[in-house]
Structures are given as C-alpha cells and as structure tokens.
C-alpha cells in the first residue's frame, strides 16, 4: 500500500507543478518553479535549529548575534508583561533572559503554583508571540537579589539541615522533584519544538560559591533527561580563571558563558572563556552585561553612566560578540521576596530595596524616555539584523492626591485577628521562624520575667533581622498596652536597657521580629529568620516562650477601632509609660499599628499607574486592594515612594492598608504622586 500511494502522490504532485507553471502568466507574483520546489522541501524537511559551531551562534543555519536583556516575569504584574516586552523590542533586543524562582512556584512543599504572576508558560508564549528568543535560568539557585536565592523558605525547616547547592542526597531529591515538575513544561517550548527557548542555564555563578563538579554533572543529567540531548545548556560565571574553573562543567557539552563588570575590557575575558569551552564552541557571550546595579536600604541609589554603558556594549557588538543586558527592565520586589547580601560576615547584613529599578533602560514603571534607553538603543540599532521599532511613549500616570488614613488597631490589639490560636507554638527556647511555619513577614515572641527594682540589660546575640522589644504588666489589660523599649538590629546588635516597672505581677516581654529578606548570595545563604539564640536578661537565659505567627492576609477585614477607644488606649499607653517605667530617659510613642484609608477613581480611564509617597512615615508594609506592594522605609532611604501598577487598581473605591512598625506620619496621610523618589534617608548610614 505504501509504494502504490507514493507512486500516485508523485504523479499528482507532477501535475500540480505543471499547473502552477501554466498559470505563471496569470500570477506573476509566484516565485520561480525552482524556488517553489526548494521552499516546499525546506518546509517539510527543516525544523528550527539553534546551534554553536565555529565559535558562533547559529539560528536556522545562519550566524546569529544575541542582543538580549533580562526581564523577570515575577517582578512585573502579568497584565504588563506584553507592555514591557514591547519596550524591550523597541530597545532593539532579540532575546529575553529570565530566572525561574523555585520559591514562587512551590511556596509550600508539594504545593505547585503556575498561575497569575507565576504563569511561566504564558510569559514564555508571550515572548514567542512578540518574536523573542528566550534564555531560561531555572537554577535551582538563581541569586537574582531574590529571597533565599530562589530556594523555598520551607527548606530551612528540614532537619537535619539540607546542604544547599551540593551533592547532598536530601538536596538533590528536592531538586529532582522541582525540575521534574518544571522542565517538562519547558520542553514543549524549546526552540526545536517550535517555542522560544534556545538555551537553559545550569545553576548560576556556581564558581563564586563552591567547587562540586558531581553536583553540576547531576544537574546536567537531570536537564538532559527532561529536555533532550540537543538543547544547549550553559553556565554563567564571573570572568576570572578561578570562578570559571569551579563553575564550568568540562566534558558535559555545556557552554560556558561569562559575566563581568561593565567597565572591564570584554575581549581578554572572552579569550579566557575559550579555554573553558571545546574548540570552536566558544562564541563570545556576556550573559550579564550590567546596565546598572542593585541598591540596599541605607545606601545612595545606584546609578551608572548611560554613555559608558553604551560604549562598552558597542565594544562587544562591534566584533560580533553577544550580550544580555542585566537588567533590561528591573521591575519591583513586591511583597516580602526581596533578597539581601552580606559583607565581611553574617552580621554585615544589607537588605535590598522594594524597587528593583536597577537603573535599567526600561524603568520600574516602564518609562523609556531616558538617556540610557536612548544611548543603548542607538548602539543596538547599528548591529541589529532587523529594523528596530519606534520608541513608545511612557505610560500615563495619575495623581490621586492625599489619601487620609486612620488607625484601625494596634498590632497587639489585632493579634486575635492576625494569629489563629491553633498556630501558637510554645517552647522552652525561642525557635526560628521557619520552624513554626512562618516563612515571611513578622513573628511575635512572648515570655515573662519577674519584676525587678532596678532596670535590666537585655541582649539577643543572634536575631534575624530586626527585633522591636516591648514590656508590659501581665495583670493590666492582659499586657496589651506594652511600652516600647528599643530595637535590636542584626547589623549592630546592641544590648538594650530595660527600665524597671512598678508592677505587682510578672513582666510580659514581647519581641516582634521582622524578616527583612533572606540572603541571596554568598557563603551565608542558609539564612534562617527570627531569634536564633538565647534571649539573655541580666546574664540569665529567659525560658518559656510563646510564638505567634502573624498573618497579613485580608487586612481589609480589620475592623475599625472606635475612635474614642483609640484615644483611650493612647492615653492609657502614655500613662503607663510615664508611671510605670522608672529611670527611662527616652520614652517614645513607637507602637506598631494598622492604618486604613481609601481613594476613589471615578472612571475606568482614570485607572492608571501611580506612586505612593510615604514621606513622614517610618517603616512598614503597604497593601492596596489586598496586594502587597512591599516594604517602605523612608527614614532609612533611599526609596521614598512605592510603585503602584494600574492593574491592581479599580474604578470605584480602592483600599489602602498600612502596617506602620514605628511612628506614623503625624497628619495620617499618604500622597499619590506621579514620580519615583530615591532621595530619602541620610545617605550616610549603610547597613
């Protein structure tokens, strides 16, 4: 049957060709017969290919130069993915590189999330629709200035402790489970299967961390299992011999890419790169060409010169090198997922801003009308193989004016709402946050001690990251009107003087600990949060602790406290502070509390991006319509305003809820403004 069918098909095809030729005069736009036959053959025989050969990248048999940029889907609300990608297109990029944060997709062990901002497949399909190729960085470690380098926080609750980024069988089993879910989703979107993904990264800058070739080879085997033997796998390491020796994977057919400082001469590093790739398989590629830099709280906002960045990019592209801008668009560390870094030791802690603007050419709010975008675009246009779209206008923004708020509850008054009693944990010693199931945000530690005639000295040798200390009489209002004693911070860790309290009952000691973001880089990455040591009062260990996990879900449902009660509570707290605290030279009104307000948007056309200015506020977290915008800390700076993307707003009433951890703006308002602001804080202090 097969032979007869083939013979018949050949005859039919011959007559079809004769028909096409005979109709040539009537359809002059048809290609010559030889071209028609060749195209028909190609459409049947050829499939999309992306290869490395002769020290070049080859796309469908033609030399290809990657002019790419990092754009992380998890730092942009999904409604804006296409908008930001179109701006990247107008910059001249042909490739998008993105990390895949494990903790976003498995927030609880065995609970998989691939919807909303975690819809990786939709993001990749959107890239494909707009004509981008994709370089995918699935880790399992990603760094990315992202909490815990992308690892799920629940891994820190496993006993015995898992050895991260190693050949530890317990760790590898977790990775196998994760990649077993993730990589099959990626496989259908590989370039060879008609999708956009041309390369998949193995680990991330491993040469800056350790030297465990067995671990890296295991990842390669796992990737090949799910993605096939033809997919280009790559590593990225700093452009030094030491990092390349430790981070590359010789003999595994894995391409070694490099990254380096924008000010470094790229070509000596590309020459070094060749030593770590097989002959003919080392196209010069900077997988992270830095357009800016990250900023920590307490630092001056990082900025890099547009002309300098453009000149160094041209030095790569002009000699047929490839580069990926890090970042093309930074976005925002919404919620609690910002990362942190250390300096000389574990205590030299530096938390990242909520904004991940990164001084990138496409700003946090999508703006492209800036010198860096224009300078980089001018260079890219000279080397782009296709025409570059025109520059789009900035997205419109709206100013909604002053938003008046009122205090609805102190944090201590709201504990019955914020913490389910079944989740309260009791222990002789304080436990880490992860051990009590509190992965992010705040945990309240409570104990008691006997009243003393004189003041005491309180120390917590190891607290991650910031502990506010309060005391109260247990016999009065169940200790719910505590007085603020002071704050112990990870980076300074000073002991506190606790004043004496005239109290017939025991003293309630409450320690509110904030997780400010886990370390994402370096040897101290195993970064548990909370109180990680004994609590010591006058040289003696304090035992008998209750731990209250604080949920910040559905804060809109917090009931308004009667204003008369608020005044009464404030007067009672003030009276307590003045009468009960003896020999306390710095009585303050610092008290964590919730503040609520609303603003109305009259028409759908007025629903646009805005920024919220927290001038006059101290430190806390802001929510709009139950969406966690992230942390604000204008008293430390440099970030003053939080970005509010239009898709989280709505026509009609919009609800703003603020958890202020210290002291609110005295006039109790927040301003809606139309610009970012990075001028807050002293700029002299650095975490």
């Amino acid at each position: 049957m097969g032979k007869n069918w083939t013979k018949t098909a050949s005859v039919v095809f011959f007559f079809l060709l004769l028909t096409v030729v005979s109709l040539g005069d009537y359809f002059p736009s048809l290609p010559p017969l030889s071209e028609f036959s060749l195209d028909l053959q190609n459409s049947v025989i050829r499939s999309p290919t992306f290869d490395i050969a002769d020290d070049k990248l080859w796309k469908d048999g033609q030399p290809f130069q990657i002019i790419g940029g990092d754009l992380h889907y998890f730092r942009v609300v999904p409604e804006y993915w296409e908008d930001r990608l179109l701006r990247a297109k107008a910059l001249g990029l042909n490739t998008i590189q993105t990390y895949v944060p494990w903790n976003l997709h498995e927030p609880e062990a065995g609970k998989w999330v691939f919807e909303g901002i975690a819809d990786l497949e939709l993001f990749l399909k959107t890239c494909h629709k707009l004509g981008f190729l994709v370089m995918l960085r699935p880790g399992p470690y990603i760094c990315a200035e992202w909490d815990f380098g992308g690892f799920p926080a629940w891994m820190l609750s496993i006993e015995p402790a898992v050895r991260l980024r190693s050949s530890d069988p317990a760790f590898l089993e977790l990775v196998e489970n994760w990649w077993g879910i993730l990589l099959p989703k990626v496989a259908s979107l590989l370039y060879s299967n008609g999708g956009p993904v041309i390369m998949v990264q193995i680990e991330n800058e491993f040469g800056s961390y350790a030297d465990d070739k067995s671990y890296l080879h295991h990842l390669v085997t796992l990737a090949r299992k799910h993605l096939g033997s033809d997919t280009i796998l790559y590593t990225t390491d700093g452009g030094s011999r030491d990092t390349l020796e430790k981070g590359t994977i010789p003999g595994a057919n894995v391409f070694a890419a490099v990254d380096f400082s924008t000010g470094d001469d790229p070509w000596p590093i590309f020459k070094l790169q060749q030593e770590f790739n097989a002959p003919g398989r080392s196209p010069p590629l900077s997988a992270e060409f830095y357009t800016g830099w990250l900023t920590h709280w307490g630092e001056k906002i990082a900025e890099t010169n547009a002309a300098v960045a453009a000149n160094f990019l041209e030095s790569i592209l002009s000699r047929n090198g490839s580069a990926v801008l890090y970042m093309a668009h930074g976005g925002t560390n919404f919620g609690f997922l910002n990362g942190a870094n250390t300096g000389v030791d574990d205590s030299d802690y530096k938390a990242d801003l909520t904004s991940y603007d990164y001084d990138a050419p496409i700003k946090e709010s999508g703006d492209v009308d800036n010198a860096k975008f224009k300078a980089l675009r001018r260079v890219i246009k000279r080397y782009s193989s296709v025409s570059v779209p025109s520059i789009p206008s900035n997205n419109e923004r709206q100013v909604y004016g002053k938003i008046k708020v009122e205090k609805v509850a102190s944090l201590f008054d709201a504990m019955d709402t914020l913490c389910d009693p079944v989740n309260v944990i009791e222990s002789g010693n304080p436990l880490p946050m992860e051990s009590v199931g509190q992965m992010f945000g705040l945990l309240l530690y409570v104990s008691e001690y006997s009243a003393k005639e004189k003041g005491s000295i309180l120390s917590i040798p190891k607290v991650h990251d910031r502990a506010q200390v309060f005391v109260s009489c247990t016999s009065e209002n169940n200790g719910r009107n505590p007085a603020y004693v002071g704050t112990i911070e990870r980076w300074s860790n000073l002991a506190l003087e606790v004043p004496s309290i005239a109290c017939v009952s025991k003293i309630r000691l409450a320690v509110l600990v904030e997780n400010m973001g886990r370390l994402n880089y370096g040897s101290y990455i195993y970064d548990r949060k909370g109180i990680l040591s004994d609590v010591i009062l006058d040289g003696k260990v304090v035992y008998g602790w209750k731990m209250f996990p604080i949920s910040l879900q559905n804060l809109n449902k917090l009931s308004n406290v009667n204003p008369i009660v608020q005044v009464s509570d404030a007067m009672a707290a003030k009276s307590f502070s003045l009468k009960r605290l003896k020999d306390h030279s710095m009585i303050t009104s610092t008290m964590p509390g919730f503040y609520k307000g609303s603003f109305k948007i009259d028409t759908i056309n007025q629903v646009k991006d805005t920024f919220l200015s927290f001038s006059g506020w101290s430190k806390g977290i802001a929510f709009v319509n139950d969406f966690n915008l992230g942390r604000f800390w204008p008293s430390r700076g440099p970030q003053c305003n939080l970005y509010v993307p239009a898709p989280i707003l709505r026509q009609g009433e919009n609800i703003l809820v603020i958890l202020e951890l210290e002291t609110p703006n005295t006039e109790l308002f927040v301003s809606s403004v139309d610009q970012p602001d990075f001028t807050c804080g002293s700029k002299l202090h650095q975490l």
Side-chain angles (χ1 to χ4, degrees):
M1 177 180 174
K3 290 182 180 180
N4 292 335
W5 183 89
T6 302
K7 183 177 179 180
T8 302
S10 299
V11 172
V12 171
F13 182 65
F14 175 75
F15 282 107
L16 279 174
L17 291 179
L18 288 178
T19 302
V20 170
V21 173
S22 65
L23 293 174
D25 292 336
Y26 298 97
F27 298 98
S29 61
L30 285 172
L33 178 59
S34 59
E35 290 184 27
F36 182 89
S37 303
L38 181 62
D39 287 343
L40 184 63
Q41 287 180 334
N42 288 344
S43 66
V44 173
I45 298 172
R46 288 190 177 182
S47 61
T49 59
F50 198 90
D51 301 308
I52 296 175
D54 299 326
D55 288 334
K56 294 179 182 178
L57 298 166
W58 298 82
K59 176 177 174 286
D60 300 329
Q62 299 296 317
F64 186 76
Q65 186 176 32
I66 289 175
I67 307 177
D70 263 77
L71 194 160
H72 302 156
Y73 62 98
F74 47 91
R75 286 183 160 121
V76 181
V77 292
E79 296 88 344
Y80 274 167
W81 285 346
E82 185 161 331
D83 174 84
R84 301 305 193 257
L85 288 168
L86 286 171
R87 293 168 191 277
K89 199 81 174 175
L91 184 58
L93 306 186
N94 58 30
T95 303
I96 294 297
Q97 184 171 245
T98 185
Y99 287 116
V100 181
W102 185 352
N103 53 10
L104 181 71
H105 297 285
E106 194 182 8
E108 300 174 25
K111 177 184 177 181
W112 304 104
V113 179
F114 288 93
E115 298 84 34
I117 204 168
D119 195 340
L120 172 64
E121 290 173 280
L122 177 60
F123 177 76
L124 295 177
K125 289 174 182 177
T126 305
C127 291
H128 189 45
K129 180 182 77 171
L130 298 178
F132 285 107
L133 302 176
V134 173
M135 296 168 64
L136 198 68
R137 314 174 88 177
Y141 163 79
I142 64 171
C143 184
E145 286 77 62
W146 192 251
D147 186 82
F148 201 15
F151 290 131
W154 51 261
M155 291 173 63
L156 295 168
S157 66
I158 298 174
E159 298 290 352
V162 174
R163 288 186 291 113
L164 305 169
R165 306 180 73 185
S166 79
S167 298
D168 177 3
F171 175 65
L172 292 181
E173 182 179 1
L174 294 172
V175 173
E176 288 170 3
N177 291 339
W178 160 228
W179 273 13
I181 295 293
L182 173 68
L183 295 187
K185 295 177 181 292
V186 173
S188 63
L189 294 166
L190 293 172
Y191 189 73
S192 58
N193 292 330
V197 179
I198 55 171
M199 300 170 67
V200 177
Q201 182 173 282
I202 297 295
E203 245 275 352
N204 185 61
E205 295 181 325
F206 189 71
S208 300
Y209 180 77
D211 186 6
D212 185 343
K213 297 297 186 186
S214 177
Y215 163 55
L216 295 178
H217 278 281
H218 187 90
L219 294 181
V220 172
T221 300
L222 191 58
R224 296 285 183 215
K225 172 185 174 183
H226 294 290
L227 303 178
S229 58
D230 295 332
T231 301
I232 297 177
L233 304 179
Y234 71 109
T235 57
T236 301
D237 286 286
S240 71
R241 184 171 297 278
D242 178 63
T243 55
L244 286 166
E245 284 178 346
K246 292 189 294 185
T248 54
I249 316 173
N253 193 24
V254 176
F255 171 61
V258 291
D259 58 38
F260 42 81
S261 173
T262 307
D264 291 338
D265 182 354
W267 290 99
I269 299 173
F270 288 144
K271 185 176 180 180
L272 175 66
Q273 176 192 15
Q274 289 184 313
E275 298 182 29
F276 295 88
N277 283 305
R281 295 191 60 80
S282 192
L285 170 61
S286 173
E288 291 187 13
F289 176 83
Y290 300 109
T291 61
W293 200 246
L294 61 105
T295 304
H296 305 115
W297 291 108
E299 297 177 350
K300 183 178 179 181
I301 190 69
E303 295 178 311
T304 59
N305 182 273
V308 170
N311 289 339
F312 275 95
L313 177 61
E314 181 149 34
S315 71
I316 295 174
L317 301 184
S318 63
R319 295 171 61 179
N320 294 318
S322 292
V324 181
L325 309 182
Y326 193 99
M327 299 290 295
H329 170 61
T332 309
N333 294 317
F334 294 117
F336 297 118
L337 289 167
N338 65 277
N341 293 288
T342 55
V344 295
D345 57 32
D346 177 60
S347 297
D348 189 11
Y349 173 83
K350 311 166 192 291
D352 297 328
L353 301 183
T354 299
S355 172
Y356 197 65
D357 179 82
Y358 214 84
D359 197 26
I362 305 171
K363 310 308 291 180
E364 181 180 13
S365 59
D367 285 2
V368 294
D369 186 12
N370 62 76
K372 186 167 290 181
F373 185 95
K374 293 173 183 176
L376 292 171
R377 184 176 184 272
R378 280 194 297 270
V379 169
I380 293 170
K381 280 186 70 175
R382 287 197 283 271
Y383 302 98
S384 176
S385 61
V386 297
S387 61
V388 176
S390 59
I391 301 176
S393 58
N394 291 341
N395 287 328
E396 292 184 30
R397 290 196 282 269
Q398 187 76 26
V399 173
Y400 301 110
K402 286 187 176 181
I403 304 169
K404 191 70 177 175
V405 299
E406 65 176 357
K407 185 174 183 180
V408 294
S410 77
L411 180 137
F412 295 102
D413 284 335
M415 284 304 297
D416 289 343
T417 302
L418 301 173
C419 180
D420 189 325
V422 301
N423 294 327
V424 177
I425 303 295
E426 297 188 35
S427 174
N429 294 303
L431 299 173
M433 282 187 172
E434 296 81 7
S435 297
V436 300
Q438 184 73 351
M439 302 306 167
F440 299 98
L442 302 155
L443 182 64
L444 182 65
Y445 295 80
V446 176
S447 187
E448 296 179 353
Y449 65 93
S450 299
K452 301 182 180 183
E453 293 184 3
K454 295 182 179 181
S456 299
I457 301 297
L458 177 76
S459 65
I460 308 177
K462 195 165 188 178
V463 60
H464 289 186
D465 299 303
R466 196 169 186 268
Q468 294 170 263
V469 179
F470 304 85
V471 292
S472 58
C473 274
T474 57
S475 59
E476 297 188 7
N477 194 26
N478 198 28
R480 285 198 173 186
N481 285 325
Y484 171 69
V485 174
T487 299
I488 298 175
E489 297 169 318
R490 176 175 178 173
W491 48 93
S492 57
N493 206 308
L494 302 176
L496 294 179
E497 293 184 22
V498 182
S500 62
I501 301 178
C503 183
V504 296
S505 63
K506 284 195 170 185
I507 306 300
R508 185 176 189 256
L509 173 65
V511 184
L512 180 66
V513 179
E514 180 189 4
N515 165 2
M516 289 180 54
R518 292 181 181 83
L519 298 175
N520 55 255
Y521 182 82
S523 57
Y524 302 108
I525 192 173
Y526 193 90
D527 188 24
R528 284 178 168 173
K529 297 301 186 181
I531 296 177
L532 307 180
S533 66
D534 290 329
V535 176
I536 301 171
L537 188 71
D538 295 331
K540 295 183 179 179
V541 175
V542 179
Y543 295 104
W545 290 90
K546 289 184 179 180
M547 283 143 282
F548 297 78
I550 295 174
S551 171
L552 296 177
Q553 303 295 319
N554 300 317
L555 293 181
N556 288 352
K557 297 181 180 179
L558 279 174
S559 299
N560 282 17
V561 175
N562 188 306
I564 297 176
V565 175
Q566 288 187 44
V567 173
S568 175
D569 286 349
M571 292 177 65
K574 183 177 180 181
S575 174
F576 178 87
S577 297
L578 292 173
K579 293 179 180 179
R580 303 294 188 182
L581 301 187
K582 309 298 183 181
D583 303 319
H584 189 31
S585 60
M586 292 186 65
I587 296 173
T588 70
S589 61
T590 296
M591 183 63 62
F594 292 95
Y595 299 81
K596 185 176 180 180
S598 67
F599 57 101
K600 189 177 181 182
I601 302 178
D602 293 328
T603 67
I604 193 67
N605 292 333
Q606 292 176 329
V607 178
K608 301 184 187 303
D609 289 0
T610 193
F611 289 85
L612 294 182
S613 169
F614 285 87
S615 177
W617 295 78
S618 298
K619 186 182 196 302
I621 308 150
F623 303 79
V624 171
N625 297 333
D626 276 333
F627 183 93
N628 188 336
L629 295 175
R631 311 168 201 267
F632 62 86
W633 199 3
S635 60
R636 182 60 54 88
Q639 184 174 356
C640 315
N641 303 347
L642 292 181
Y643 171 55
V644 185
I648 72 168
L649 301 176
R650 60 198 177 206
Q651 182 182 0
E653 187 179 44
N654 293 265
I655 305 298
L656 168 65
V657 177
I658 300 167
L659 171 55
E660 169 60 66
L661 294 172
E662 295 181 347
T663 307
N665 174 297
T666 55
E667 298 181 30
L668 294 183
F669 74 86
V670 171
S671 294
S672 165
V673 297
D674 63 358
Q675 295 294 331
D677 185 355
F678 295 99
T679 62
C680 288
S682 68
K683 307 297 184 301
L684 299 177
H685 179 84
Q686 181 170 323
L687 298 187

